[in-house]
Amino acid sequence: MTRVFSGVKPTGHLTLGNYLGAIRRWVDVDQRRSDALFCVVDLHALTVDHDPARVRRLSRQAATLLLAAGLDPELCTVFVQSHVDEHARLSYVMECVATDGEMRRMVQYKEKAARERERGGSVRLSLLTYPVLMAADILAYGTDEVPVGDDQTQHVELTRDLAVRFNQRYGHTFVVPRATRPEVAARVMNLQEPTSKMGKSDDSGPGIVYLLDEPEAVRKKVMRAVTDSGAEVVYDREARPGVANLLEILAACGGGNPEDLSGVYESYGTLKKATAEAVVELLRPVQERHKELCADPAYVEGVLRDGAEKAREMAKPMVDSAYRAIGLLPA
């Protein structure tokens, strides 16, 4: 059976982009056709300045939302990264396979490091090496497929390179994974800056729809979305990114095609209203289930505890094998 691994980083509240770009596919497709693991990657949240209490709070919220969205512990494994020591164990081994040049070529590192230099500061070493931890996350489970958004594809390619290099140097140990992406809305853009991703760590609140936003807040954000010059509703990602983003969101909510939908609406106003209502209805069952789960924290804790135990049993043999292959004495 195909094994799938993916995760969410608790650096902010989960957004519509997270849901349409990843989580819904996990629920509708991946957990039903594969041996799937879904993880709250809390160790990755430590690569930037953070409030420890907030990381814990967002980790619990993310796990609860994954369950509320429809991940079923009977079908897949849901857990928190730091609860499984094998992630950190394998990460150091993979650092001994990766090169400094590979790390510094990672787009996210270059962008964040450049911003910090402009401010007169510097980034944490863990930001440079975190793609190796991501590789360890994936390789520890013999993962075949990694469903990711466009911005993480480079990291999966690095994972593939590291797996191949390790296998060639030390003997075949790891499965070489591949990235998979949804056809529509793989990258939902910020409503106020439609050339930028709708990121949960972004400070531009008006452009981000969060999964727990009240319906009226959702409507307000969508109705105030930046559009483009002209009045005709045309799907053109390059020339009209604002309208294209709305059409892609609407298409993803209803399972349609953004190009086909562009001929349905006569004005930006009607397009925005339809998109707002589609998003509200999409999020309604997730929010209702989230409330139920928040009222039963013991259930969520039990899911995470059982998930970590299951994940640990799956990862330990692989990591132990990697330790032996690279030359470490068994304990």
Side-chain angles (χ1 to χ4, degrees), residues 5 13 74 167 173 202 230 265 317 321:
F5 177 95
H13 300 287
E74 297 297 320
N167 290 345
T173 304
D202 200 324
Y265 300 95
S321 177

Side-chain angles (χ1 to χ4, degrees), residues 6 16-18 20 22 38 65 93 97-98 103 134 144 151 160 186 204 208 212 216 225 229 231 242 258 291 305:
S6 199
L16 178 68
N18 298 128
L20 292 178
F38 301 108
L65 277 169
V93 167
V97 178
M103 297 299 98
M134 181 176 173
D144 299 296
D151 60 322
R160 291 171 55 84
S204 181
I208 304 171
L212 295 179
E216 201 50 45
S229 60
K291 287 182 181 178
R305 183 173 57 251

Side-chain angles (χ1 to χ4, degrees), residues 146-217:
V146 188
V148 292
D150 293 341
D151 60 322
Q152 292 293 334
T153 301
Q154 186 186 34
H155 292 155
V156 179
E157 288 304 314
L158 172 69
T159 301
R160 291 171 55 84
D161 292 342
L162 295 180
V164 169
R165 188 178 306 152
F166 189 100
N167 290 345
Q168 290 175 341
R169 289 180 179 176
Y170 307 113
H172 185 79
T173 304
F174 297 118
V175 173
V176 180
R178 60 186 178 275
T180 59
R181 287 172 288 178
E183 294 180 2
V184 177
R187 196 174 191 188
V188 178
M189 313 307 279
N190 189 299
L191 295 174
Q192 292 297 316
E193 300 176 29
T195 58
S196 300
K197 186 184 73 166
M198 185 183 285
K200 60 182 178 295
S201 303
D202 200 324
D203 293 329
S204 181
I208 304 171
V209 175
Y210 298 104
L211 296 189
L212 295 179
D213 275 347
E214 294 290 336
E216 201 50 45

Side-chain angles (χ1 to χ4, degrees), residues 194-195 227-229 232-248 258-263 268 271:
T195 58
T227 48
D228 313 289
S229 60
E232 187 179 2
V233 178
V234 176
Y235 181 70
D236 187 332
R237 168 53 71 185
E238 296 300 321
R240 297 190 176 183
V243 172
N245 190 36
L246 291 171
L247 287 167
E248 288 187 352
E259 292 186 7
D260 294 340
L261 288 171
S262 66
Y268 292 165
L271 171 61

Side-chain angles (χ1 to χ4, degrees), residues 29-265:
V29 179
D30 294 318
Q31 71 170 342
R32 302 179 187 281
R33 68 168 179 85
S34 62
D35 181 10
L37 301 100
F38 301 108
C39 181
V40 178
V41 287
D42 54 343
L43 294 176
H44 292 295
L46 309 185
T47 61
V48 295
D49 288 341
H50 62 277
D51 172 16
R54 186 170 187 266
V55 170
R56 284 191 291 270
R57 185 170 65 252
L58 289 175
S59 297
R60 178 180 292 276
Q61 183 186 87
T64 305
L65 277 169
L66 291 180
L67 298 175
L71 289 185
D72 184 348
E74 297 297 320
L75 298 176
C76 65
T77 304
V78 182
F79 65 105
V80 175
Q81 179 190 32
S82 63
H83 294 177
V84 180
D85 292 344
E86 277 62 36
H87 291 256
R89 287 182 63 209
L90 184 56
S91 182
Y92 179 73
V93 167
M94 301 315 294
E95 283 187 16
C96 297
V97 178
T99 68
D100 176 75
E102 285 175 316
M103 297 299 98
R104 296 186 187 280
R105 285 195 295 271
M106 294 293 105
V107 172
Q108 290 195 29
Y109 170 76
K110 289 196 293 186
E111 291 177 348
K112 292 180 179 179
R115 286 198 295 268
E116 284 301 316
R117 281 196 296 270
E118 289 175 0
R119 299 170 184 155
S122 62
V123 297
R124 298 183 180 191
L125 177 62
S126 57
L127 184 66
L128 177 66
T129 60
Y130 104 87
V132 175
L133 175 57
M134 181 176 173
D137 297 337
I138 296 165
L139 297 176
Y141 298 99
T143 302
D144 299 296
E145 296 182 3
V146 188
V148 292
D150 293 341
D151 60 322
Q152 292 293 334
T153 301
Q154 186 186 34
H155 292 155
V156 179
E157 288 304 314
L158 172 69
T159 301
R160 291 171 55 84
D161 292 342
L162 295 180
V164 169
R165 188 178 306 152
F166 189 100
N167 290 345
Q168 290 175 341
R169 289 180 179 176
Y170 307 113
H172 185 79
T173 304
F174 297 118
V175 173
V176 180
R178 60 186 178 275
T180 59
R181 287 172 288 178
E183 294 180 2
V184 177
R187 196 174 191 188
V188 178
M189 313 307 279
N190 189 299
L191 295 174
Q192 292 297 316
E193 300 176 29
T195 58
S196 300
K197 186 184 73 166
M198 185 183 285
K200 60 182 178 295
S201 303
D202 200 324
D203 293 329
S204 181
I208 304 171
V209 175
Y210 298 104
L211 296 189
L212 295 179
D213 275 347
E214 294 290 336
E216 201 50 45
V218 173
R219 294 186 182 98
K220 184 179 295 185
K221 289 178 179 180
V222 176
M223 294 305 294
R224 293 180 177 176
V226 169
T227 48
D228 313 289
S229 60
E232 187 179 2
V233 178
V234 176
Y235 181 70
D236 187 332
R237 168 53 71 185
E238 296 300 321
R240 297 190 176 183
V243 172
N245 190 36
L246 291 171
L247 287 167
E248 288 187 352
I249 291 171
L250 180 60
C253 288
N257 182 288
E259 292 186 7
D260 294 340
L261 288 171
S262 66
V264 174
Y265 300 95

Side-chain angles (χ1 to χ4, degrees), residues 293-325:
L293 291 171
C294 285
D296 188 8
Y299 171 76
V300 176
E301 291 171 3
V303 168
L304 296 179
R305 183 173 57 251
D306 294 345
E309 182 177 351
K310 183 178 177 182
R312 198 176 301 116
E313 290 175 355
M314 297 166 70
K316 191 175 186 305
M318 179 68 76
V319 178
D320 287 348
S321 177
Y323 268 48
R324 289 193 298 272

